[in-house]
């Protein structure tokens, strides 16, 4: 009888125990592009098609920028953030309100120039959508204090990560990454 009971427990047939999700499954370096929409600073997670990075997340943030970064944003040059590792789930659930990051002129994974360390304060989670779940092309509309952000929904390979700022009847392109998305865990 003891052997049968052990077999049932080991095989999972005894009870309906459900595995808890791994709270650290989304832990990693979650690179972001930094954008300026009017007076607001926006950070957009650089998504992939699968795994822990398969989320389009847009944040309204605050941070102290060096003059070089302010000038680059005004000239619509690419500025990225290379944050210290954190669990994306913590950010999504509002449990992460601040993080430290390397500020980079250009892309932090493609030879960008480091501009120093910054502390990023998350003021508001504006968008949190899983990549590839929509069945047709969508444009997420995010109202801001002045104007709105328009974010292209990433549906799969060949799509672009694109963000525009709609203000006073005009569309201002802020960011476009049309590189092929690579499926990574």
């Amino acid at each position: 009888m003891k052997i049968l009971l052990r077999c049932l427990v080991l095989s999972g047939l005894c009870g309906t125990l459900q595995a808890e999700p791994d709270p650290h499954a989304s832990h990693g370096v979650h690179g972001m592009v930094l954008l300026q929409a009017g007076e607001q600073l926006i950070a957009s997670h650089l998504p992939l098609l699968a795994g822990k990075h398969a989320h389009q997340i847009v944040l309204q943030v605050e941070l102290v920028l060096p003059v070089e970064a302010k000038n680059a944003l005004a000239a619509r040059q690419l500025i990225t953030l290379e944050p210290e590792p954190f669990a994306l789930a913590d950010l999504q659930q509002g449990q992460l309100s601040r993080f430290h990051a390397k500020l980079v002129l250009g892309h932090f994974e493609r030879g960008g120039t480091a501009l120093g360390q910054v502390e990023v304060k998350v003021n508001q989670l504006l968008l949190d959508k899983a990549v590839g779940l929509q069945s047709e092309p969508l444009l997420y509309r995010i109202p801001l204090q002045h104007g709105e952000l328009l974010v292209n929904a990433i549906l799969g390979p060949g799509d672009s990560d694109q963000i525009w700022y709609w203000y006073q009847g005009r569309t201002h392109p802020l960011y476009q990454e049309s590189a092929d998305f690579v499926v990574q865990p």
Side-chain angles (χ1 to χ4, degrees):
M1 183 67 163
K2 285 184 180 180
I3 294 173
L4 177 60
L5 184 55
R6 285 185 190 174
C7 289
L8 289 174
V9 170
L10 291 175
S11 68
L13 298 175
C14 186
T16 57
L17 296 176
Q18 294 185 6
E20 297 268 333
D22 181 359
H24 303 293
S26 68
H27 195 267
V29 175
H30 297 284
M32 300 180 190
V33 62
L34 186 65
L35 308 166
Q36 187 164 0
E39 299 300 314
Q40 295 184 58
L41 289 177
I42 305 296
S44 177
H45 177 246
L46 297 167
L48 295 174
L49 287 180
K52 64 185 169 191
H53 298 291
H55 298 274
Q56 287 184 266
I57 296 175
V58 178
L59 310 164
Q60 194 276 318
V61 298
E62 282 181 46
L63 62 143
V64 177
L65 291 172
V67 173
E68 188 176 7
K70 288 179 185 179
N71 293 340
L73 284 174
R76 301 216 191 269
Q77 291 179 300
L78 180 63
I79 298 282
T80 56
L81 297 169
E82 180 182 1
E84 61 192 4
F86 62 83
L88 196 60
D90 289 345
L91 181 65
Q92 293 168 300
Q93 296 166 8
Q95 297 171 357
L96 181 68
S97 61
R98 294 179 183 273
F99 58 87
H100 291 93
K102 184 188 306 179
L103 186 66
V104 179
L105 177 59
H107 197 294
F108 76 99
E109 291 179 317
R110 299 181 192 151
T113 304
L115 300 177
Q117 293 287 326
V118 292
E119 181 180 41
V120 179
K121 178 184 176 203
V122 178
N123 287 340
Q124 186 177 2
L125 177 66
L126 300 172
L127 178 72
D128 179 9
K129 297 289 184 182
V131 169
L133 293 184
Q134 296 75 18
S135 60
E136 60 185 64
L138 292 176
L139 194 63
Y140 300 120
R141 299 177 73 126
I142 304 169
L144 298 175
Q145 184 177 0
H146 301 286
E148 64 183 332
L149 290 178
L150 307 173
V151 180
N152 184 56
I154 298 172
L155 305 178
D159 277 347
S160 297
D161 189 5
Q162 298 179 46
I163 301 174
W164 301 269
Y165 177 48
W166 176 262
Y167 180 65
Q168 294 184 338
R170 293 186 58 210
T171 303
H172 307 272
L174 295 181
Y175 176 70
Q176 178 173 351
E177 172 65 61
S178 55
D180 290 333
F181 290 99
V182 179
V183 177
Q184 294 182 0

